[in-house]
Amino acid sequence: SLAKKVKEQKMANLVEEYFEAHSSSKVLTSDRTLQKFQKRRLNQQTLHDLLKSAPLAYAAEIRDLNQQHESLFSKWMLQLHLGFNIVLYGLGSKRDLLEKFRTSLLQDSVHLVINGYFPSITVRSILNSITEEVLDHIGTFRSPLDQVEFITKRFKEDSSLELYVLIHNLDSQMLRGERSQQILAQLSSLPSIYLIASIDHINAPLMWDQAKLSLYNWLWYETTTFNPYVEETSYENSLLVQQSGSLALSSLVHVLHSLTLNARGIFRLLAQHQLEKKDNPSYPGLSFQDFYQQCREAFLVNSDLTLRAQLTEFRDHKLIRTKRGADGVEYLLIPVDDSTLTNFLEKEDEDV
Amino acid sequence: QQIQEDMNKQLLDSLVSFLSRSHSDFREKTTEWTCEMKFREIPTAALVLGVNVTDHALTFRGLSDVLQDNITPYVALLEAKDCPGIKNLMQKLMGQLMSCDVDVDSLEDEDGVQVSQNRIRCSMASLISWYESVTKKTDSETPSKKRNSSSRHWQSPPVVVIFKDMESFTTKVLQDFIVISSQHIHELPLVLIFGIATSPMIIHRLLPHSVSSLLCIELFQSLSCKEHLSTIIDKLLLTSQFPFKLGGKVLQVLINIFLYHDFSVQNFVKGFQLCIVEHFYSQPLSVLCCHLADIKKRAYSLSHDQCENIRRLPSFRRYVEKQESGKQIELLTNDSFLKEETEKLLEDIHVYHENYVSILRCLHVFTSSLPKYPLGKQIRELHCACLENRVWETEEYESCLQLARMLNKTDLVTMLQQCVEILMSSSGKKFDKTVGKLKGFLTQFQDLEAEASQERDVSISSQKELQRKTDLYHLQKTLLELKESRRSKKLTKFEMLRFEVVDYIDRLVRKYLVPADDRTLHEIVYFNAAAVLRGHLNAAPRTALHTALNNPHWYLRNQALKCDGGGISNKAPDICIVYKLHLECGRLINLVDWLEAFSTVVMAAEEPNADAASSDHVDDIIHARFIRAVSELELLGFIKPSKQKTDHVARLTWGGC
């Protein structure tokens, strides 16, 4: 009962820790930002190069670990053939392991590799590749459900068809949806489709309810590899890497340099206004009317129409965003974080 | 592996046959009811099936087969995942009914086939607006059905629609379907069957009054899954039919998964299957795990290596140690002698097991009727207790004996009779029962019965006498006699008690021994790797991540990683250091501070060989490593980018895990 008591205490602690973590909305962290701290941001390519030059620690031990996992390959094959599907979990990328499994055992058989971490993968494309390449069926389906039905029928009719499906990161953003998991589960329940998948997210098992679990018929294997997630994280847009999607300082400067003086002035005006109000979290942006007024006063535009044309151009370059407020007035905002904006203004000042 | 597949098949077959049998009466009832229904409202059967959704597929398949066989209806099975909208539902329903038609009519003219194909294409084409198409479909379907059925049966057979998982249907679809079909109930006799996992309340929650008033619901209850489990254990584990057996721990794991996680019989069977696979894969001597008839052949075809394997078994070594020295040498060196010995031992195990099962059942009869069930109510609990350690040494068994001694009344006799029956049946079935003792017990029991009945006769007659003769002297006399006889009866009760004790001690001590302890070569037949099983069936990915991040030493056997007292060495892999630092933060983490802390730790580790000249480059590398580690943590789901503050990330876990 002592152990029980200890366990209970631990549970109580856990609960308390949770509430402690979420009790106050006040955040006690320093206000330092990367902008001030850093000389330059790394981009994807330099990051990759740098990491390549850095040696991987404990390579020998990791290799041992992987060899240990590799000894299980023949067992996996047996279990796959007996109707189980295999799921790998544990720290570290399991990509190389699966790849090795593929090259060493699946060379002669039909197999399909799905890179779940690839951000534009969809269930539809998986199904298409099965129907088009494995089953040689040309034609489209109205819905994935029909497609699954077709696949099921074909596999049931033709017992000689066998397909190994390897899914890297079954829990990735694109595949974790309920419907896609349902479809994959249905596929995996077919006796002649053998599924072997890997998961990484700590909450990955939450994707599956009982019905799906029984369709999947998982056998869990812990394969902690400690391999770095090279491919998997290359798509993960990290905060610390320059993101291509959002606006960066360099592109801002680049675009504005190609504009007329007046247009630059207009943007400046808006930027300054936004920086003045940066401490106000509910600042909706500058309303069009006010902005027009200010631009007129600065002799930057002479009519409503010119300003609108200019703003349209900005919008095309994704330099500003318009938002309609509750009162129906159009508000203008620059979708760039404040520090970038400050830097930009400083730079402008230098130039002028 | 061949054997193993055979076994697998055998096992599954027996399971399926059992399941279908257990459902048959339930199914019969439903079938009868469907036949009887008259249609003014939509007749509806609600089957309450319990939360183990995964097992229901078999039930429904069986149900639809039975319904189809008994000439009744055309059956369509609908699943919620196929019917997100009413259109899909109608299409699915149509498709299934049409194919049902084709199935049933397969011998009839091709006309029906053509019609059905036409209809399907037509339904494909007519996707103009869903309500119209639905009405059209239903309308057009109705006469065809009528025609179809009237030509074949004098009475139009009802069309049964089974909703497999009532709970997961969207309410609107369900309601619409019911309303629509209630409009056509006169032309198209529909019968609905709902499979309900929770409770019948759900019907009223899903359907408003206006809709549920269109239904005429009757409730059917299925067997609880616990009963299924006990029958399965009875059929699979407590027979001598299968040579393969489960160890106590493994059985415990399987039962725990069943009782505490999912109530799914299918999963239990899957676990059992996995045990078989594991056993035959990992244990080189599992070739010998076969029926009694095959043992001899296989034992003789053993190779030298396999003989060595036998010698290496711990239970065999114990056995050798007990033998005298001459035999020891023979056993350890002479292969053919070893083979003979092995054969004998394996036969012993078989015999042992047969005895075990019947005696276990007897004991169960005794213990299951005791108050408070010290040894458990179900036979599986008793089985586990017996497998794990010596039963007669446990406290529970002690208290069982005490209770049994006190419980000594006439119901004990009935219990004994039950036992006798069990033993009778088992000894009748198994001819190779080597112990003749059972027969001895049987006669003893029969004596007991005879005695008891005699006594009863005596007492009854004396009571009759008592009633007849009313004069005082006789009365006194008979009463005295009665008293005496009662005293003597007490003695016989005592006798029974002694009986029992003798029984218990005798049988238990001789036969009930723990397999792992006392049986030589039990490794061949029993599967005992509970940890492996638990790892594969009931894995904890989060724990694995936690240990890997907290003590990488567990996985990477390197001296440098070892460290004491909860801390982490600064030579650990990057991700472990980053993780450890992140544990010290609250809900939000400042990336800059995090990076600095990380670089401090890493620099300290690299101090000796760091040169100041290329510090900029080193900085960059550390930065890159940090980025990699952070994005790995993000991938693993420990943190996510936060918009609350610039350059902060939010933690998604709390506390130390």
Side-chain angles (χ1 to χ4, degrees), chain B residues 12-169:
Chain B
L12 286 181
D13 283 350
S14 76
L15 185 86
V16 167
S17 70
F18 150 69
L19 272 183
S20 50
R21 232 179 308 130
S22 78
H23 282 299
S24 61
D25 52 334
F26 169 62
R27 233 178 267 146
E28 285 304 311
K29 253 196 308 189
T30 336
T31 323
E32 264 170 43
W33 171 83
T34 358
C35 296
E36 282 168 12
M37 277 323 292
K38 298 186 181 81
F39 9 85
R40 276 185 52 232
E41 298 161 313
I42 312 177
T44 309
L47 314 183
V48 182
L49 291 167
V51 288
N52 45 342
V53 196
T54 48
D55 299 338
H56 299 163
L58 205 64
T59 320
F60 283 119
R61 212 177 309 135
L63 180 63
S64 67
D65 283 350
V66 169
L67 287 174
Q68 255 165 10
D69 286 349
N70 298 2
I71 339 159
T72 0
Y74 304 106
V75 185
L77 256 172
L78 294 180
E79 278 182 74
K81 63 169 191 279
D82 297 331
C83 315
I86 187 90
K87 192 171 80 182
N88 305 56
L89 188 143
M90 286 311 293
Q91 264 165 9
K92 197 92 193 162
L93 179 63
M94 290 274 296
Q96 288 206 10
L97 285 179
M98 290 304 179
S99 62
C100 265
D101 269 358
V102 177
D103 277 353
V104 176
D105 300 346
S106 51
L107 292 176
E108 258 184 45
D109 50 345
E110 288 123 57
D111 202 31
V113 183
Q114 271 179 354
V115 167
S116 75
Q117 273 170 353
N118 268 338
R119 195 102 320 131
I120 284 171
R121 208 186 309 136
C122 153
S123 79
M124 293 282 207
S126 62
L127 292 165
I128 315 142
S129 76
W130 70 258
Y131 188 72
E132 263 177 38
S133 69
V134 162
T135 45
K136 202 174 89 197
K137 266 183 229 165
T138 342
D139 282 341
S140 59
E141 184 194 19
T142 318
S144 84
K145 194 105 299 171
K146 273 281 187 190
R147 177 161 45 90
N148 222 338
S149 54
S150 52
S151 64
R152 294 184 62 232
H153 308 287
W154 42 273
Q155 168 206 31
S156 57
V159 174
V160 176
V161 182
I162 302 176
F163 292 90
K164 254 181 160 177
D165 34 4
M166 174 91 172
E167 277 86 351
S168 22
F169 273 93

Side-chain angles (χ1 to χ4, degrees), chain A residues 14 17-18 21 29-32 34 40 58 61 74-75 149 182 202 214 217-218 220 222 229, chain B residues 54 81 92 270 278 281 536 545 555 558 571 587 590 593 596 620 632 636-637 645 647-648 654-655:
Chain A
L14 258 178
E17 270 168 3
Y18 175 81
T29 49
S30 67
D31 290 331
R32 302 200 295 168
L34 287 169
R40 63 194 173 103
Y58 304 109
E61 284 86 357
S74 59
K75 194 171 175 183
E149 213 164 290
Q182 176 69 45
I202 43 171
S214 85
N217 207 5
W218 287 131
W220 297 78
E222 180 178 342
Y229 291 99
Chain B
T54 48
K81 63 169 191 279
K92 197 92 193 162
K270 174 190 159 191
E278 274 291 320
Y281 186 82
H536 290 333
L545 279 182
Y555 294 97
N558 192 312
K571 292 191 182 62
R587 196 156 51 88
N590 187 328
D593 295 343
E596 280 203 340
D620 271 352
E632 280 172 2
L636 293 176
K645 223 170 155 184
D647 293 333
H648 274 67
W654 68 93

Side-chain angles (χ1 to χ4, degrees), chain B residues 214-263:
Chain B
L214 295 171
L215 302 173
C216 169
I217 301 174
E218 185 141 340
L219 209 65
F220 293 88
Q221 198 86 30
S222 81
L223 278 176
S224 83
C225 44
K226 254 157 86 186
E227 278 162 60
H228 277 207
L229 177 73
S230 35
T231 342
I232 280 180
I233 287 181
D234 219 53
K235 288 259 146 72
L236 288 185
L237 303 179
L238 299 177
T239 53
S240 46
Q241 204 183 340
F242 304 112
F244 173 77
K245 303 280 184 292
L246 291 182
K249 288 240 168 53
V250 173
L251 185 59
Q252 201 70 57
V253 168
L254 285 181
I255 289 177
N256 280 350
I257 290 177
F258 180 87
L259 289 180
Y260 296 122
H261 288 265
D262 53 10
F263 285 125

Side-chain angles (χ1 to χ4, degrees), chain B residues 502-520:
Chain B
V502 169
D503 270 7
Y504 272 127
I505 292 172
D506 206 24
R507 287 177 194 173
L508 293 174
V509 175
R510 296 227 182 144
K511 295 174 189 162
Y512 246 137
L513 301 179
V514 194
D517 264 7
D518 288 36
R519 289 286 137 185
T520 318

